[in-house]
Amino acid sequence: MHDYFLEIQRLLQEVIVQEQAHIADVAQMIVQRIQRGGIVQLFGCGHSHLLAQDAFYRAGGLVPVHPITIEPLTLHAGALTSSKNEKDPTIIERHKHYFDFQEHDVFIVISTSGRNYAPIDAALLAKEADVLVMSLQSLTYQEQQTRHSSGKRLEDVVDVIINTHIPVGDGLLHRQNMQYAPASTVIGSAILNAIFSQVIEQMADEQGILPVFESNNVEANQHHNEVMIANYQNRINFK
């Protein structure tokens, strides 16, 4: 356990040193689009979808965040099923009605490897809608060949790349020639929360009421959350 904490700390420090300035720039891009009426849409498959869900309707989190959930691509549908569907060249076309991109939106595609059909096709769909497309991925995987027929990887089709620095295989520890102790969820969540916290901080300098959810489990004025939901319920389903 101690080794895992040390390795996570090491990797987090690498991300801080290498990506901190870039994260600030990404936050500013998002602020500009939210202020123009856009929202942040998140998409991922399998474990990457968990990061999209984690950012949604979160106490202390940014309000205008919408996870796109395509059930055949989630672990809820079955681990093997989700993994198979992520590689299906028809999956996004068959489920494109789940995507609703509007002017000034930001679309963040989460995919550690950046090589499978679903995340690449989702990014291409967003590019067709002319929204700002970002990826949360590990560029350590760049030498892993894409499975997409275009020959492109995710970093080849997005506007902005947010590099998680996750090692190929995800695991931070090794024993008996096996990799274990995955890091992509911890690091991915830290990066997303860092981005959204900077979005909130930048917006705090420019407006009075921040689009942040208060916890339902503390004695607080829930009228704030009701106002926040009303502001975005035309774009985000909070039911």
Side-chain angles (χ1 to χ4, degrees), residues 104-228:
H104 306 309
D105 284 355
V106 177
F107 184 49
I108 302 178
V109 183
I110 307 164
S111 172
T112 297
S113 70
R115 66 191 299 234
N116 291 316
Y117 263 97
I120 294 171
D121 281 345
L124 289 170
L125 192 66
K127 291 286 288 182
E128 290 176 8
D130 201 27
V131 302
L132 180 65
V133 184
M134 301 180 176
S135 65
L136 182 67
Q137 65 177 111
S138 175
L139 293 181
T140 310
Y141 279 79
Q142 278 185 310
E143 294 183 1
Q144 299 290 314
Q145 186 174 3
T146 183
R147 293 187 170 105
H148 200 276
S149 60
S150 68
K152 294 181 178 180
R153 290 176 39 85
L154 183 59
E155 65 268 20
D156 299 323
V157 301
V158 301
D159 301 305
V160 178
I161 304 163
I162 307 163
N163 186 7
T164 63
H165 297 259
I166 297 297
V168 174
D170 209 338
L172 297 184
L173 303 177
H174 300 80
R175 182 163 294 186
Q176 296 181 6
N177 297 319
M178 292 294 294
Q179 235 177 314
Y180 62 102
S184 56
T185 303
V186 175
I187 300 299
S189 180
I191 290 174
L192 285 175
N193 279 295
I195 291 170
F196 294 153
S197 66
Q198 290 199 34
V199 168
I200 293 164
E201 289 161 11
Q202 291 180 30
M203 294 183 75
D205 296 330
E206 303 175 26
Q207 63 188 70
I209 301 177
L210 293 176
V212 177
F213 279 120
E214 293 184 348
S215 174
N216 291 317
N217 296 308
V218 298
E219 294 299 327
N221 180 7
Q222 292 306 309
H223 176 68
H224 171 81
N225 285 357
E226 292 171 359
V227 171
M228 291 296 101

